[in-house]
Amino acid sequence: MSSKIPVLEIFGPTIQGEGMVAGQKTMFVRTGGCDYRCAWCDSAFTWDGSQKATPMTADDIMAKLEQTGGGRFSHVTISGGNPALHVGIAELIERFQEKGIASAVETQGSFWQDWLLNVDDVTISPKPPSSEMTTDWSRLDTFMMRLSARRDGNHNLKIVIFDEEDLVYAKQVHGRYPDVPLYLQVGNDDLDNQDPARLRDHLLEKYEWLVDRVMADPELNRVRVLPQIHALLWGNKQGV
């Protein structure tokens, strides 16, 4: 019997705004549920009860993707919340492989699922101090070790940066997993702003601040610094 996946939204094609596949044309499947409650979460609707998820099978999701995206996609991003909470995603990844569709997943590295070994692009995004969450380093170590053993696919680390304390945390993560590509991403601290132009100016100022800090720090010579591309383009709009 197929395990159903709680789905909040399916949309696209659009571009991936974050991490190692930033700029990638992709469809999105956003799942409900998260084991974290980050203070600055830009997708709190995935866990705060404000929006209701629909239980869907892998075939249901595939049909909806094809209905929405037509022939205009060959890549799907599964996001959340924390999609690694859901065992049923294994079947969805199988459907993608059958159809020659590449896949990407982002998770904080707190729950392991074996289907992660079959995802093309895995982004692990541990949460810095500004999130008010605490990293379980033993779980994260296990997560990273299992990912490093797979033969195919890419994985990377991505940390959202809001302040100097977050940068200290990023350096700790980088030192712990020095061979894994690390992306630093500017955090959006103005989630109520409904003026995309004003938000864009604000986020670009924060991006410049982060770039300046990284350029001056010899411990961060190998990291990559990105804005949130989707926030620059569409502000705080959902479903783009």
Side-chain angles (χ1 to χ4, degrees):
M1 182 176 179
S2 297
S3 298
K4 291 191 175 182
I5 303 161
V7 176
L8 280 159
E9 54 182 353
I10 294 174
F11 62 93
T14 183
I15 61 163
Q16 171 59 260
E18 303 185 355
M20 70 175 176
V21 288
Q24 169 71 53
K25 182 180 180 182
T26 188
M27 296 291 290
F28 271 86
V29 176
R30 188 181 297 282
T31 62
C34 192
D35 50 314
Y36 277 21
R37 300 290 185 268
C38 295
W40 37 249
C41 181
D42 61 1
S43 304
F45 61 90
T46 62
W47 50 262
D48 67 5
S50 62
Q51 296 187 29
K52 185 175 176 59
T54 301
M56 301 178 71
T57 66
D59 289 332
D60 293 337
I61 294 170
M62 196 67 242
K64 182 64 174 178
L65 283 166
E66 292 174 336
Q67 177 188 352
T68 304
R72 297 175 293 139
F73 73 97
S74 58
H75 186 280
V76 177
T77 299
I78 306 170
S79 64
N82 184 4
L85 296 177
H86 309 303
V87 65
I89 290 176
E91 293 179 63
L92 185 58
I93 300 300
E94 289 177 5
R95 299 297 180 277
F96 293 162
Q97 291 176 326
E98 290 165 3
K99 293 177 176 289
I101 296 171
S103 58
V105 166
E106 179 173 327
T107 175
Q108 56 263 49
S110 55
F111 277 85
W112 176 259
Q113 298 279 1
D114 285 342
W115 54 255
L116 287 159
L117 296 172
N118 297 318
V119 175
D120 296 287
D121 304 310
V122 180
T123 295
I124 309 97
S125 184
K127 306 309 178 187
S130 62
S131 71
E132 301 179 10
M133 298 292 105
T134 301
T135 300
D136 185 329
W137 293 105
S138 63
R139 280 194 176 197
L140 188 57
D141 285 344
T142 300
F143 203 98
M144 300 301 293
M145 179 183 67
R146 288 175 172 170
L147 276 181
S148 67
R150 66 184 188 156
R151 295 180 181 178
D152 300 314
N154 303 302
H155 67 280
N156 71 110
L157 287 155
K158 187 204 78 180
I159 300 174
V160 179
I161 303 295
F162 285 84
D163 54 33
E164 297 284 356
E165 193 176 5
D166 288 352
L167 269 175
V168 172
Y169 174 86
K171 289 192 282 189
Q172 182 181 4
V173 172
H174 193 37
R176 200 175 186 98
Y177 315 110
D179 297 326
V180 180
L182 173 62
Y183 292 80
L184 301 185
Q185 193 100 35
V186 174
N188 180 358
D189 59 358
D190 197 0
L191 297 175
D192 295 325
N193 192 331
Q194 298 304 311
D195 184 337
R198 286 181 57 196
L199 181 62
R200 183 182 306 123
D201 290 344
H202 172 66
L203 293 178
L204 284 173
E205 287 179 5
K206 288 177 62 66
Y207 182 49
E208 184 177 9
W209 168 83
L210 181 56
V211 167
D212 288 344
R213 292 299 186 275
V214 171
M215 295 308 106
D217 195 325
E219 292 183 62
L220 297 173
N221 288 350
R222 297 176 60 202
V223 307
R224 304 167 196 188
V225 190
L226 293 175
Q228 287 184 314
I229 299 173
H230 56 287
L232 295 181
L233 289 173
W234 299 297
N236 287 315
K237 185 177 180 181
Q238 184 183 334
V240 290

